[in-house]
């Protein structure tokens, strides 16, 4: 349709043309927005899966070019239409098997395994192997190798990665259960075992020591069997080198391992004569070796519970028992708990019943004595204890019979406080004798000064300025006479 009449009509009718243009632009914008939202709503696989899928498609197309040439040169498909319909049968089958293997892998995957591709996964590798034949038939050895590697082989590998990589990204710890993965793991483990690298997490130094230890054990066993011969000197030198390389002389653990392996190898012949009990002589175990008694049933139920819950159950069944008795009952049921645990459990749940309070006897009120006027004792409140009453002198006041009663009274504030006189025979304790460490440091000083000639208490008090009690303690410690 020529555009000149449309332009002429738009110029002659500007408002209808502007309305139609705005409606078309709005429709295009709405369509584009809906397409973007649809694309975003699709649950796209991770980027590695998309990249592997794109690579697999390109390699499949590369293999399709080989199939196109092979169909014309070797299969006699001269007609282009026939060749276009038939040449991609192998590639299409490869793609279909890859998609079905991916579905099987996703359906059979768990938290610990990556799932299995099943029969479609095996067919992927079968078709890949068949697709290698046209590569060599079309381009020879060199060109066929390039076509085979870049075409069907890489297509099969990338399809395999594309159908299993998403599961590996979501659960890296999941193990693949496909045939190539299982064969690869088995070959890896057997190769590591053959190379002596089965024990993981060892340093190179430790691997060298372990190998030298095994070599030393072998050479020592051979020298024990054949101590002579023209190779004995060579073996002894190799044994010495192996022992030095193993580090058994400086490492106690390595030396213990060496001696244990050597002892096991030397005494291996005793395995033929070791007395063993016959497994056929014993009686068969009964189906129910433990009868179902009430105690056994109760214990089995209590052992399934938490120990604290079991304590509360036993306490509910025996509310009159003490915590010690409840602990003994729980232990008898097969739930070993202590009395402390019982108290904790009962404090958390049922409270212990408080024992009933014993009634106290009611005492008759004692009559107040009638004060007498013969003797009055005045009492003054002081902040410190007077020196004369710090060391109390025992008074045998209970020997005689009291003939009068003594009553105390508090005098008025303006009453003068009487003077206190020191008790004869009492003395003040020096300040140096208040906090004396044990043993007394003056004991060693006095021993150094007097030796075996121990003075009396008075010279010690005069010499060191101490009290009588401390001087007596020093004299007794030095072995002086009373």
């Amino acid at each position: 349709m020529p555009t000149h009449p449309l332009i002429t009509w738009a110029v002659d009718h500007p408002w209808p043309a502007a309305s139609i243009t705005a409606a078309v632009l709005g429709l295009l914008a709405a369509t584009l927005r809906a397409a973007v939202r649809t694309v975003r709503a699709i649950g796209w696989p991770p980027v590695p899966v998309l990249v592997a899928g794109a690579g697999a498609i390109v390699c499949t197309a590369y293999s399709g070019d080989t199939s196109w040439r092979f169909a014309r040169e070797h299969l006699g498909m001269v007609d282009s239409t026939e060749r276009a319909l038939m040449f991609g049968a192998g590639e299409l089958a490869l793609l279909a098997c890859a998609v079905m293997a991916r579905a099987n892998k996703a359906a059979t995957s768990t938290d610990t395994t990556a799932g299995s591709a099943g029969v479609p996964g095996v067919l992927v590798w079968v078709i890949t192997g068949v697709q290698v034949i046209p590569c060599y038939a079309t381009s020879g050895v060199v060109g066929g190798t390039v076509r085979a590697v870049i075409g069907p082989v890489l297509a099969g590998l990338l399809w395999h990665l594309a159908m299993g990589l998403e599961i590996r990204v979501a659960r890296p710890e999941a193990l693949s259960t496909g045939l190539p993965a299982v064969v690869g793991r088995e070959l890896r483990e057997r190769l590591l075992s053959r190379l002596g690298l089965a024990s993981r997490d060892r340093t190179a130094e430790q691997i060298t020591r372990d190998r030298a230890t095994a070599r030393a054990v072998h050479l020592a066993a051979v020298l024990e069997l054949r101590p002579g011969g023209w190779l004995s000197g060579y073996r002894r030198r190799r044994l010495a080198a192996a022992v030095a390389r193993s580090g058994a002389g400086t490492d106690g653990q390595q030396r213990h391992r060496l001696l244990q392996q050597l002892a096991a190898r030397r005494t291996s012949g005793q395995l033929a004569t070791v007395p063993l009990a016959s497994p056929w002589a014993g009686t068969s175990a009964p189906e129910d070796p433990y009868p179902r008694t009430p105690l056994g049933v109760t214990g089995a139920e209590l052992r399934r519970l938490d120990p604290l819950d079991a304590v509360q159950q036993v306490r509910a069944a025996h509310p009159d028992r003490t915590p010690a008795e409840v602990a003994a009952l729980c232990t008898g049921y097969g739930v070993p708990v202590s009395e402390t645990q019982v108290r904790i459990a009962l404090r958390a749940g049922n409270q212990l019943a408080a024992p009933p309070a014993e009634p106290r006897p009611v005492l008759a009120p004692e009559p107040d004595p009638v004060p007498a006027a013969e003797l009055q004792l005045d009492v003054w409140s002081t902040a410190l204890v007077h020196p004369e009453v710090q060391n109390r002198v025992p008074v045998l006041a209970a020997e005689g019979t009291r003939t009068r009663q003594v009553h105390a009274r508090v005098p008025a504030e303006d009453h003068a406080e009487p003077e206190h006189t020191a008790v004869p025979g009492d003395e003040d304790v020096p300040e140096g004798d208040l906090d004396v460490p044990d043993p007394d440091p003056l004991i060693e000083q006095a021993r150094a000064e007097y030796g075996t000639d121990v003075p009396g208490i008075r010279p010690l008090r005069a010499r060191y300025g101490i009290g009588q009690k401390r001087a007596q303690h020093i004299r007794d410690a030095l072995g002086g006479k009373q």
Side-chain angles (χ1 to χ4, degrees), residues 37 46 58 218 259 269 322-323 352 379 383 464:
R37 294 181 63 181
V58 174
H218 171 70
L259 295 178
T322 62
L352 288 175
V379 180
Y464 299 108

Side-chain angles (χ1 to χ4, degrees), residues 2-130:
T3 60
H4 181 69
L6 294 177
I7 295 175
T8 303
W9 182 84
V11 172
D12 295 339
H13 307 82
W15 291 107
S19 301
I20 294 173
T21 304
V24 170
L25 292 178
L27 182 61
L28 290 176
T31 304
L32 181 61
R33 182 180 180 183
V36 171
R37 294 181 63 181
T38 303
V39 171
R40 289 182 177 179
I42 296 176
W44 295 97
V47 177
V49 178
L50 296 177
V51 175
I57 292 174
V58 174
C59 292
T60 304
Y62 195 93
S63 176
D65 178 76
T66 304
S67 299
W68 175 273
R69 297 174 184 271
F70 181 78
R72 183 186 60 183
E73 297 176 1
H74 295 81
L75 299 181
M77 295 182 184
V78 183
D79 188 12
S80 300
T81 305
E82 179 187 7
R83 204 185 334 164
L85 294 175
M86 299 298 178
F87 87 98
E91 285 72 17
L92 185 60
L94 178 64
L95 179 61
C97 290
V99 173
M100 289 188 295
R102 174 69 182 87
N104 289 346
K105 206 172 186 67
T108 58
S109 63
T110 60
D111 294 336
T112 57
T113 60
S116 176
V119 177
V122 178
L123 290 178
V124 168
W125 296 108
V126 172
I127 296 173
T128 300
V130 173

Side-chain angles (χ1 to χ4, degrees), residues 3 58 71-72 75 90 95 177 186 262 292 317 335 345 466:
T3 60
V58 174
R72 183 186 60 183
L75 299 181
L95 179 61
T177 57
E186 289 294 330
L262 182 59
R292 304 287 291 178
V335 184
I466 58 178

Side-chain angles (χ1 to χ4, degrees), residues 3 66 76-77 100 134 139 165 204 214 219 259 325 419 445:
T3 60
T66 304
M77 295 182 184
M100 289 188 295
S139 303
L165 189 60
L219 293 173
L259 295 178
E325 295 175 348
E419 297 182 358
Q445 183 177 353

Side-chain angles (χ1 to χ4, degrees), residues 263-350:
R265 183 156 182 172
R266 285 184 177 180
T267 59
S268 60
Q270 299 178 4
L271 288 175
T273 58
V274 171
L276 297 175
S278 175
W280 319 113
T283 58
S284 59
E287 296 181 358
D288 191 4
Y290 302 101
R292 304 287 291 178
T293 60
L295 180 61
V297 174
T298 306
E301 295 296 330
L302 290 177
R303 284 191 295 271
R304 296 177 183 176
L305 302 176
D306 186 81
L308 299 182
D309 296 337
V311 169
Q312 294 182 3
Q313 294 292 334
V314 175
R315 175 65 179 184
H318 304 277
D320 56 340
R321 299 298 180 92
T322 62
E325 295 175 348
V326 173
L329 288 174
C330 292
T331 304
Y333 285 126
V335 184
V337 293
S338 62
E339 183 179 355
T340 304
Q341 292 176 324
V342 173
R343 293 183 182 276
I344 294 174
L346 297 181
R347 190 179 298 114
N350 301 328

